[in-house]
Amino acid sequence: MVSLSSAALSARLGRRGGRVPAGRRVGRHPGAAFTLLSPWLIGIVGLTLGPMIASLVLSFTDYDLLSAPTFVGGANYARMLDDPRLAQSLGVTSTYVAIAVPLKTTCALLIAVVLARGVRLIGVYRAAFYLPSLLGASVAIAILWRLVFGSDGIFNAFLGMFGVEGQSWVSTPDTALFTLIALSVWQFGGPMVIFLAALLQVPAELQEAAAIDGAGPVRRFARITVPLITPVIFFNLVLEMINSFQTFTPSYIISGGTGGPADSTLLYSLYLYLEAFTKFRMGYASAMAWVLLLIIGLVTALLFWTSRRWVFYADSGER
C-alpha cells in the first residue's frame, strides 16, 4: 500500500493551499465529463432531437410509410385550415383542458388541506389517494371506466337507488366527454402529494398569529396559506395543462378508437393517431404534432405571463 505525506499530497494537489485550479482539474481528464454525460447525450440526440427533426422534415412531405416522402411544402399546414374534423378535435380538447385542469387542481388542493391537518394514518390515506394517479392512465382503468358509465354500469345502479333512471353515459354525445373529465379528475393524487408537501412547509406561527387576531380558518387559508403556495399552484397548473393536451389512452379505449359518439371524445392526440396509423398520412400527422407543440407553448407562455399578477415568491419578495 502506498501512503503519501501531507506535504507530498499538498504538492500533488497544487501549490496554492492544496487546492487545484479548476482548469487543471477539468483539463487532466477532458473525456471524463463527456463519458459521464454520454448516456444523457445519446438519449437527448437519439430519442428526442433526432425524432423531432425527422418529424419537422416529414411535416413538409406527403409520406405514407410505404413509399418515399414527397416534398409538398406547407400544404399539410394549409390543409388544416379546411379540416372540419381537426377543428372538432381542437374544440373537444379545449373543453377537456379548460374543465379538467381546474377541477383536478382544486380537488387535489382540498384533499391535501384535509390531510395536512394531522389526520391519523396520513400515510395510508396518502397512498390510497395517490394510487389512481398510477393506474388512471392505464388501459385496464379505461376499460373499467367504460363499464362503470355504461348503460348497465355501477353509476346507473347508484342512481337507481334514488329512483333516477340512467343512460349510457359513454354512448351519449352530450355526456361522453364528461366521463373522460371525471377520469382525469379522479387521478388527482399526483398534484395532491405536491400540494401536501407545500402545505406542511407553511410556517405555523403565521397561522397562530392570524388566529390570535381573530381570523377564522377560511380567512387564514385565503389570506395566508394560498398566497404562500401560489408557486406550487402555478407549477401544478402548468404540469396538468401540458399532460391534458396530450391525453390519449382514455379517449382511445372509451370511444373504441373512433373518438365517438359523433366525435364528442375526439381529442387532438387521438385524431393525430388516426391520421398517422389508420390513414397513413404521416406528413399531415407530423404537421399536427408541431401545431400541438405550438399550442402548448403558447398556453404555457400565457400562464407565465399571468403568473406575474398572482404568483408570489416569498424569498424574493416579488411576484
Side-chain angles (χ1 to χ4, degrees):
M1 177 178 295
V2 179
S3 60
L4 297 176
S5 65
S6 58
L9 183 60
S10 176
R12 287 196 174 193
L13 293 176
R15 296 180 178 179
R16 297 180 180 179
R19 298 181 59 184
V20 179
R24 290 186 59 187
R25 288 200 300 268
V26 175
R28 284 186 176 181
H29 305 287
F34 293 103
T35 302
L36 294 173
L37 289 173
S38 59
W40 179 83
L41 290 173
I42 293 173
I44 193 68
V45 173
L47 301 178
T48 302
L49 291 180
M52 286 184 67
I53 295 173
S55 172
L56 180 61
V57 173
L58 288 176
S59 70
F60 295 101
T61 66
D62 183 10
Y63 182 46
D64 60 1
L65 285 178
L66 302 177
S67 56
T70 304
F71 182 75
V72 294
N76 288 325
Y77 293 94
R79 181 187 161 197
M80 292 183 189
L81 301 176
D82 299 324
D83 188 347
R85 213 174 179 207
L86 177 68
Q88 170 69 13
S89 69
L90 283 173
V92 171
T93 305
S94 300
T95 304
Y96 176 80
V97 174
I99 297 177
V101 172
L103 283 180
K104 185 177 181 179
T105 306
T106 303
C107 184
L109 178 58
L110 294 179
I111 296 296
V113 169
V114 174
L115 294 181
R117 298 176 65 86
V119 179
R120 294 181 61 184
L121 302 176
I122 185 174
V124 176
Y125 288 113
R126 188 185 306 166
F129 287 130
Y130 185 69
L131 190 60
S133 295
L134 301 177
L135 303 176
S138 66
V139 174
I141 293 299
I143 294 175
L144 176 64
W145 213 253
R146 184 184 176 89
L147 296 176
V148 167
F149 288 99
S151 56
D152 299 326
I154 299 174
F155 187 67
N156 281 343
F158 174 76
L159 293 178
M161 295 172 60
F162 302 96
V164 178
E165 184 178 356
Q167 59 180 345
S168 179
W169 303 92
V170 296
S171 302
T172 304
D174 293 337
T175 59
L177 180 61
F178 293 98
T179 62
L180 297 182
I181 294 173
L183 177 57
S184 174
V185 175
W186 182 61
Q187 304 168 45
F188 62 84
M192 180 207 69
V193 172
I194 299 174
F195 277 135
L196 183 58
L199 290 171
L200 294 177
Q201 299 300 318
V202 175
E205 55 269 22
L206 294 179
Q207 301 281 359
E208 294 170 357
I212 293 174
D213 289 341
V218 176
R219 191 174 183 184
R220 293 200 303 271
F221 176 75
R223 297 297 181 88
I224 297 176
T225 304
V226 171
L228 289 177
I229 65 170
T230 48
V232 180
I233 296 175
F234 175 66
F235 172 79
N236 275 330
L237 279 177
V238 173
L239 204 63
E240 294 302 325
M241 181 273 297
I242 294 174
N243 290 334
S244 295
F245 268 113
Q246 301 176 79
T247 301
F248 171 76
T249 303
S251 173
Y252 180 83
I253 298 299
I254 292 177
S255 69
T258 62
D263 286 346
S264 59
T265 60
L266 185 66
L267 295 181
Y268 191 92
S269 56
L270 176 59
Y271 184 50
L272 190 155
Y273 169 84
L274 294 176
E275 287 293 314
F277 296 102
T278 62
K279 300 179 179 178
F280 298 105
R281 296 169 179 166
M282 291 296 171
Y284 189 60
S286 298
M288 287 181 61
W290 278 95
V291 170
L292 177 61
L293 177 64
L294 179 63
I295 292 172
I296 293 176
L298 290 175
V299 177
T300 303
L302 179 63
L303 286 176
F304 269 91
W305 181 74
T306 60
S307 69
R308 300 175 182 177
R309 300 179 180 275
W310 62 274
V311 178
F312 178 75
Y313 295 98
D315 292 341
S316 62
E318 298 177 353
R319 290 182 184 274

